[in-house]
Amino acid sequence: MCPVELSVIVTILNEVDNIRPLIKRIHAALEGMTYEIVYVDDGSTDGSVALLKSLDDPRLVVVELRKNYGQSLALMAGIDMARGTYIATMDGDLQNDPADIPAMLELVRDKDWDLVVGERINRQDGALLRKVPSKIANWIIRNLSGVHLRDYGCALKVFRAQIARDLGIYGELHRFISVLASLEGARITQIPVRHHARQHGQSKYGLGRTFRVVSDLILMLFLKKYLQRPMHLFGQVGLAIFAGGALINLYLLILKIAGQDIWGKPLLILGALLVLTGVQLVTVGIIVEVLMRTYYESQQKRPYKIREVRRAGDVAEVHPLNLSRSEQLREL
């Protein structure tokens, strides 16, 4: 079987009118390359699967999920099925342009980047429902995550396959792929890409996703800053709260010794609550610390990633500790 250089992953939900035009554009953009197109259908009900299965295209791989799991898990399924050395992801609504993929692939393949992210320069979306919320979300993510990109929401990305498989895109974390890749030590850059207006079908996005983005961002901040040292978060906050409660109780104790009645004072209740909350947070920190160590040690994982190992006279090699558990078993 001829090795595949690039796997183009397209996740769709009810995009039947966009399938043929997009596949045609991908073929035109990637002419002369060895590639496959992995279409992941996330529970479409408009005939998208039937159309995909009817196409006689040797480069097409159709992955049909049993139901609608969401874009993150659909993307994970596509990555798991991909055979390419490099992986490109894009939406199936014709708003991303496959013609941008070769330039992005060149940066990953020849310029030593691990992930190249598209930046939609002239977005062809509505201002109120898409552009304004996107600008706000981009500003928040950029300032809180420490990953400085201008556009986090563009689905057009090109990865090294190893980085893509290490991401762990659960829940709805596809919006934070760049942050997840940063956690894996990936070198990330962003380049301008084209963006087209939607011609067929309806957008799956709206203002309702804002609260999900905020909750996912809180998770990402924990993963980025405290996953390997959770006690630094829970312990410090817990000790600070405990100290506040202890000072209040000490003050009330002095008042009691001085002969004043402190029973029933709101300050007494506040002091007791702060002490109990502080003890609970420190306890949670210890438990999470133990769970983190169990997570790494039980699966023989390491809390670090080695990019490559070079020895005199040897070619660069991927360190075996960087392989996933399934990859380690295949090596054996």
Side-chain angles (χ1 to χ4, degrees):
M1 181 180 294
C2 181
V4 177
E5 180 181 20
L6 177 67
S7 296
V8 181
I9 299 175
V10 184
T11 58
I12 62 168
L13 173 62
N14 295 332
E15 299 286 359
V16 65
D17 293 325
N18 295 318
I19 291 174
R20 290 183 186 273
L22 181 55
I23 291 177
K24 183 177 180 180
R25 292 184 188 183
I26 293 174
H27 286 320
L30 304 183
E31 185 176 2
M33 297 175 55
T34 56
Y35 63 93
E36 64 179 2
I37 306 173
V38 182
Y39 256 85
V40 183
D41 182 82
D42 188 26
S44 294
T45 57
D46 65 344
S48 293
V49 175
L51 175 58
L52 284 168
K53 291 180 178 180
S54 69
L55 298 178
D56 184 16
D57 188 333
R59 299 184 186 271
L60 181 62
V61 179
V62 181
V63 180
E64 179 185 2
L65 302 184
R66 290 187 177 183
K67 64 175 184 177
N68 176 242
Y69 289 96
Q71 189 172 354
S72 292
L73 294 186
L75 189 58
M76 180 184 288
I79 291 172
D80 288 341
M81 295 297 106
R83 297 180 292 122
T85 305
Y86 305 98
I87 290 176
T89 63
M90 63 187 304
D91 282 336
D93 54 11
L94 292 179
Q95 292 194 272
N96 298 139
D97 197 327
D100 291 310
I101 293 178
M104 300 173 76
L105 176 61
E106 182 180 358
L107 288 175
V108 176
R109 183 180 54 202
D110 302 330
K111 302 297 183 181
D112 209 26
W113 295 104
D114 298 309
L115 167 61
V116 177
V117 183
E119 178 190 2
R120 297 163 291 183
I121 297 299
N122 298 309
R123 287 192 61 177
Q124 304 298 312
D125 288 321
L128 180 61
L129 296 179
R130 299 294 298 275
K131 290 184 181 179
V132 173
S134 180
K135 286 183 179 294
I136 295 173
N138 286 333
W139 183 87
I140 294 173
I141 297 171
R142 182 166 51 249
N143 286 277
L144 293 183
S145 71
V147 180
H148 296 285
L149 300 177
R150 295 172 295 277
D151 184 0
Y152 296 85
C154 182
L156 187 57
K157 301 177 176 70
V158 177
F159 311 76
R160 296 185 187 275
Q162 182 185 353
I163 292 293
R165 294 189 177 100
D166 283 342
L167 291 181
I169 313 172
Y170 300 97
E172 294 194 29
L173 296 183
H174 61 276
R175 303 182 185 94
F176 300 97
I177 282 178
S178 302
V179 182
L180 288 170
S182 175
L183 292 175
E184 297 296 329
R187 298 189 182 107
I188 306 171
T189 189
Q190 189 167 55
I191 65 172
V193 297
R194 289 167 278 249
H195 191 252
H196 304 292
R198 176 182 273 275
Q199 299 177 2
H200 307 287
Q202 293 183 330
S203 173
K204 314 304 186 297
Y205 301 102
L207 290 175
R209 65 175 177 161
T210 304
F211 297 105
R212 296 196 295 271
V213 171
V214 173
S215 61
D216 286 339
L217 179 58
I218 294 173
L219 172 61
M220 293 308 305
L221 292 177
F222 175 79
L223 292 176
K224 183 171 178 60
K225 295 185 177 181
Y226 298 107
L227 176 64
Q228 297 175 14
R229 44 192 176 92
M231 192 61 184
H232 288 193
L233 172 63
F234 295 102
Q236 290 180 7
V237 174
L239 289 174
I241 293 176
F242 179 86
L247 288 175
I248 291 174
N249 290 335
L250 179 61
Y251 168 72
L252 293 174
L253 177 61
I254 295 173
L255 292 182
K256 182 66 175 177
I257 294 174
Q260 296 189 28
D261 184 18
I262 63 172
W263 180 251
K265 289 182 177 292
L267 196 59
L268 177 61
I269 299 174
L270 176 62
L273 285 175
L274 290 179
V275 168
L276 290 174
T277 301
V279 171
Q280 288 179 332
L281 283 175
V282 172
T283 303
V284 168
I286 294 173
I287 294 173
V288 175
E289 188 84 20
V290 172
L291 290 174
M292 182 274 297
R293 294 175 185 273
T294 302
Y295 167 76
Y296 283 110
E297 295 175 7
S298 65
Q299 303 182 59
Q300 298 182 355
K301 289 179 178 288
R302 295 294 185 272
Y304 57 83
K305 296 287 183 181
I306 300 174
R307 186 174 298 279
E308 63 182 26
V309 177
R310 288 183 182 270
R311 297 183 177 89
D314 293 343
V315 296
E317 61 183 29
V318 178
H319 197 281
L321 292 180
N322 276 356
L323 300 177
S324 66
R325 183 59 177 162
S326 59
E327 289 171 329
Q328 291 179 30
L329 292 174
R330 284 200 297 269
E331 289 293 318
L332 295 176

